[in-house]
Amino acid sequence: MGGSQYDGETLPLTTNEIVFRGSTLRNTDTAIGMIINSGEECKIRMNANKSLRIKTPAMQTISNKIVVMLVFFVILLSLFCTIAYQIWTNNIENDSWYLEGAHLNFSFIIVGFIILYNTLIPLSLYVSLEIIKVGMFLLLKDVDMYDPVSDTPMVCNTTTILENLGQVDYVFSDKTGTLTDNVMRFRKLSVAGYAWLHDVDLQKEAAEKLVLAEKLEKKDKGKGKVIAKKSSMRKKTHRPAIARNDTDLTAGTTERPGYLRRISTTSIWKSSARPAKAQPEFRTEDLLKYIQHKPHSIFTKKAKFFLLSLALCHTCLPEVKEDGEVEFQAASPDELALVRAAQECGYLVIDRAARTITLSIRGATESAEPITETYEILDVIEFSSKRKRMSIIVRFPNGKICILCKGADSAILPRLKLASLAQQKVGEVHRRANKRKSMEVEEALRRMSESSPRNSFSRPSITLSRPSMARSRKSIGAGRPSMASSRMPSIRDELDSWLTRRETDVEMADDLSVYYTPRHSTATPRPSMALGRVSYASTDAASWQEDYIDDLIDEGLVLDDSAVFERCFQHTNDFASEGLRTLLFGYRFIDEQEYVGWKKVYLDATTSLVDRQILIENAGEIIEQNFDLAGATAIEDKLQQGVPETIDKLRRANIKIWMLTGDKRETAINIAHSARLCKNYSEVVILDSTTGEVEQRMATTLLDISKGSVAHSVVVVDGHTLTEIDADETLSALFFDLAVVADSVICCRASPSQKAGLVKTIRTKVNKSLTLAIGDGANDIAMIQEAHVGVGISGKEGLQAARISDYSIAQFRFLQKLLFCARKMELCPDRQIHPRHILEGADVLSGYSTV
């Protein structure tokens, strides 16, 4: 953009110096600048949908065609009868003396016939369709679609397309704010070959619920409630499944200030992508206890440096509140989660000036005072989508200069000091993962080939339209003359268990515990597992804990780079399969002379008026080399409540779900795993125009799907590749042929206009398809308006989408009730039953009989 001179020093002017509308300036006395008005040239206005269309229900279109056909039929019938009357008049009426003077003109007789046959035109059908819309009032008063947290009910902005809700075939969903809460939680870390689970936030929430439940119990006891009433109260308070003994929960907190005591021997956190996967036995509180118990061990030094990296390698600004609590202003929720995790592990950022960052570090013992250290910030090489990493160069209190770098594994691995060894270990991890994936694919295909538990549902019109189901099941023919209501529960239960078995994620048993345990010889059971919740004040328990901590880490393994690499990359692979966002951390100490030489190159790059970004990236490449591996982190992008379960049920109803987001590809794929759009054994087809193999990749995948050799397919395409596909008619036709047969489609880095274009293409090119778009932000408005049904979520990004949509809900999980209840209301005896209706409307089907 440019540069400015200040005190003889050239300072760069970049996008960091732009203050957007609504921003708040802090710690600033005076600011000099100019106002920039973008007007209509902003992203939202340029991507807005300029040509709005009037939405009409699909059933109304069908009824209009039927009525028009019947009108023509009545006219033709009346014309035929009129002509027949004229013929009859010439042959009979003129020769009949008793019909003399009874002849009518052509116009009179044809109008008479039209009036006679007008009852064939079902004008009452329109009245019936309008009466159906009374169901809107039932939706408005549905308590199940009310969110008590935000005090938001379901809102209906359109009354004309209610019947479309029961016929949706495609759901196009935004990611941030729609599927996720846009809240990041630090969940796991891997350091020196050992993985640790960080669930402090979940333990706090569980403890609060437990305390609340105990208060309610005491309140009931004081009122003299009976035991049965207490039992029901426990269920109403949704008491968490926490193993309890008679020991007090607060005992652990008094002994360990700032940390909650472990209140369960099993992990509270479960991965939404792989709920059956066992979680690491070790938690970060075990890590901190080991650091305190062995402060001078090799592992402790590496773990403390890794935690220090979390506290230093970021751009967050701390702000101390009046009550003494520290709040952080972060550019991204990922960085906020990392800084919060460092704080919970004893490394708190208390101040960040222009050139310094101050930390408060917990002492070596629980009773020791915190240590305050100040680090000088020399340079920050910021993150970019091309670099996929960010680095910070700091001067330690002892005068040493260190560069800390965090980023994606693909960006950090080639820059490690032992890059060849790291690549070798990554290859071994991938081979194990591919072997397990192939076994899961075979098991999934075997499940899909299983026959239905019943080959008859008594009604000949019941057919299975899903291709994957039709391949493995014979047509459902006529069975018993009627479906007795007494048989419906068993049929429903058997069909439900069969569909559940088909749709449940295949989880092959693999022995990866060797990459998580301290060492092979460690066979001593954990004290917490053997004793449950024991008091830390107990002498026996304390000695057992001390012995256990001594055997927690194998220091010999920590010194083995090959073993550390293999275990770390196995951890990151497992983290990614659980839908977590992984980062690798690297570091390198540099001498003063090397830094001074590089600083001149970097300063010239930041002040250049030509190709500034390219020069900055080249300067970063010079110093971001020969890193030592510090560790890896895994961050959970928290989904909204009930999102995976809702997506599972929508898929069982044969509704295809597309995720259209503006985020980067890796983030979108991770969320797809968490939301169960992607399975462990899914064939993820990434279309990237930079590889030059888009057409070949699409053709190969389409052929594999048609052969039935793919158990579950997910197509991933980015906005740039989508633009090139739209520009080529051949690629466009091939892409949509693939997208229609794929199980899910993920479009990342998509603009609002591209989202709307995808929805429009499916709406117009896929015959008899009904589309639904759901989003929560202003960038989703075009997509919502383009779909047959638009659903807005009144979330954290404002009410723009909720106000412009046809229906507004507070949470994504309410979409299940919104669609399935509409389906059940629309079931009628003369309608062909789709397999999605068998489970949803079993109570309706029980009253059917064979026609």
Side-chain angles (χ1 to χ4, degrees), residues 586-806:
Y587 70 94
R588 179 169 69 94
F589 287 96
I590 57 180
D591 55 39
E592 189 76 26
Q593 184 178 1
E594 180 184 359
Y595 171 71
V596 171
W598 174 85
K599 176 65 176 179
K600 186 179 183 303
V601 176
Y602 184 68
L603 183 60
D604 293 340
T606 55
T607 57
S608 173
L609 299 180
V610 180
D611 297 332
R612 175 183 296 177
Q613 187 60 35
I614 297 176
L615 293 176
I616 291 176
E617 293 175 357
N618 293 337
E621 288 284 349
I622 297 175
I623 200 168
E624 292 172 334
Q625 299 293 337
N626 297 322
F627 286 135
D628 290 315
L629 180 64
T633 61
I635 298 175
E636 177 189 14
D637 192 351
K638 293 198 67 174
L639 297 176
Q640 291 185 10
Q641 179 184 350
V643 166
E645 294 77 11
T646 301
I647 289 180
D648 280 344
K649 291 184 179 180
L650 291 177
R651 290 177 53 191
R652 288 177 60 178
N654 204 30
I655 298 176
K656 292 190 175 182
I657 304 173
W658 291 29
M659 184 171 70
L660 313 180
T661 177
D663 284 347
K664 58 183 180 180
R665 180 191 301 154
E666 293 80 5
T667 302
I669 294 177
N670 287 338
I671 293 300
H673 278 285
S674 299
R676 298 181 192 168
L677 285 174
C678 287
K679 299 178 180 293
N680 300 331
Y681 53 86
S682 296
E683 180 71 22
V684 180
V685 182
I686 298 178
L687 304 179
D688 190 349
S689 58
T690 58
T691 62
E693 300 177 352
V694 175
E695 184 174 4
Q696 179 182 356
R697 185 80 166 126
M698 288 192 294
T700 303
T701 305
L702 188 60
L703 182 61
D704 292 340
I705 294 177
S706 61
K707 291 180 179 179
S709 58
V710 178
H712 189 268
S713 56
V714 178
V715 177
V716 182
V717 61
D718 59 89
H720 178 70
T721 303
L722 189 61
T723 301
E724 295 189 2
I725 290 177
D726 291 337
D728 191 319
E729 293 184 0
T730 303
L731 289 180
S732 179
L734 187 60
F735 172 75
F736 285 103
D737 287 342
L738 174 61
V740 169
V741 298
D743 293 280
S744 295
V745 176
I746 301 172
C747 185
C748 54
R749 294 298 189 192
S751 65
S753 58
Q754 286 179 321
K755 293 181 180 181
L758 286 173
V759 175
K760 182 178 180 180
T761 303
I762 294 297
R763 178 174 57 83
T764 55
K765 290 189 176 182
V766 180
N767 192 25
K768 297 181 180 179
S769 65
L770 263 81
T771 58
L772 181 147
I774 179 170
D776 71 317
N779 58 343
D780 302 318
I781 291 178
M783 174 179 67
I784 290 174
Q785 292 176 334
E786 195 63 53
H788 290 98
V789 180
V791 179
I793 291 184
S794 52
K796 299 178 181 178
E797 296 189 18
L799 299 176
Q800 297 96 325
R803 288 171 178 167
I804 205 70
S805 61
D806 304 310

Side-chain angles (χ1 to χ4, degrees), residues 104-359:
L104 297 176
N105 293 331
F106 178 85
S107 59
F108 288 162
I109 196 66
I110 191 172
V111 170
F113 278 119
I114 290 176
I115 296 174
L116 177 65
Y117 294 131
N118 79 89
T119 53
L120 293 176
I121 303 175
L123 298 179
S124 60
L125 176 62
Y126 288 98
V127 179
S128 301
L129 293 178
E130 293 301 321
I131 293 177
I132 291 177
K133 294 178 176 58
V134 178
M136 175 190 66
F137 297 101
L138 300 177
L139 297 177
L140 294 176
K141 296 182 179 180
D142 195 337
V143 180
D144 293 338
M145 287 191 286
Y146 169 75
D147 183 30
V149 177
S150 59
D151 190 23
T152 306
M154 181 267 182
V155 178
C156 180
N157 299 324
T158 305
T159 61
T160 58
I161 59 173
L162 181 67
E163 52 267 35
N164 279 357
L165 292 174
Q167 307 172 59
V168 172
D169 299 297
Y170 288 86
V171 172
F172 299 87
S173 175
D174 183 35
K175 182 188 74 67
T176 305
T178 304
L179 298 178
T180 69
D181 271 332
N182 200 22
V183 175
M184 306 295 179
R185 289 289 183 265
F186 186 89
R187 194 55 65 209
K188 293 182 180 182
L189 64 90
S190 174
V191 57
Y194 291 88
W196 311 83
L197 175 66
H198 188 77
D199 59 355
V200 174
D201 56 325
L202 299 179
Q203 292 192 47
K204 288 181 179 179
E205 295 175 2
E208 292 173 357
K209 292 181 180 180
L210 183 60
V211 172
L212 178 61
E214 290 178 347
K215 288 182 179 180
L216 292 174
E217 289 179 0
K218 292 179 180 179
K219 185 177 180 180
D220 289 344
K221 185 176 181 180
K223 293 181 179 181
K225 300 285 185 177
V226 295
I227 298 178
K229 185 73 178 254
K230 294 180 183 178
S231 174
S232 63
M233 182 59 71
R234 292 192 188 99
K235 295 180 180 179
K236 291 180 181 179
T237 55
H238 301 284
R239 187 168 184 173
I242 299 173
R244 290 191 59 208
N245 283 339
D246 295 332
T247 52
D248 186 11
L249 176 67
T250 60
T253 60
T254 58
E255 293 177 10
R256 293 171 45 194
Y259 287 88
L260 280 173
R261 178 149 177 240
R262 183 171 307 162
I263 54 180
S264 173
T265 59
T266 59
S267 174
I268 300 176
W269 182 79
K270 293 292 184 183
S271 168
S272 59
R274 301 175 64 183
K277 183 181 181 298
Q279 296 304 316
E281 186 181 354
F282 307 131
R283 292 177 176 154
T284 50
E285 49 192 80
D286 294 323
L287 171 64
L288 299 178
K289 290 179 71 69
Y290 184 87
I291 292 175
Q292 291 179 351
H293 185 68
K294 290 188 174 183
H296 304 294
S297 67
I298 299 175
F299 175 83
T300 296
K301 293 179 181 179
K302 290 194 174 185
K304 292 174 69 174
F305 191 87
F306 176 68
L307 296 177
L308 180 63
S309 302
L310 295 182
L312 291 177
C313 191
H314 60 83
T315 58
C316 298
L317 298 176
E319 181 179 354
V320 181
K321 299 293 184 180
E322 295 180 356
D323 57 358
E325 293 291 329
V326 179
E327 294 290 338
F328 294 97
Q329 301 292 332
S332 68
D334 301 70
E335 286 200 331
L336 180 60
L338 293 173
V339 175
R340 283 293 186 192
Q343 175 185 0
E344 293 167 348
C345 292
Y347 288 76
L348 173 61
V349 181
I350 58 177
D351 183 45
R352 178 163 184 157
R355 289 296 179 183
T356 61
I357 181 169
T358 305
L359 304 181

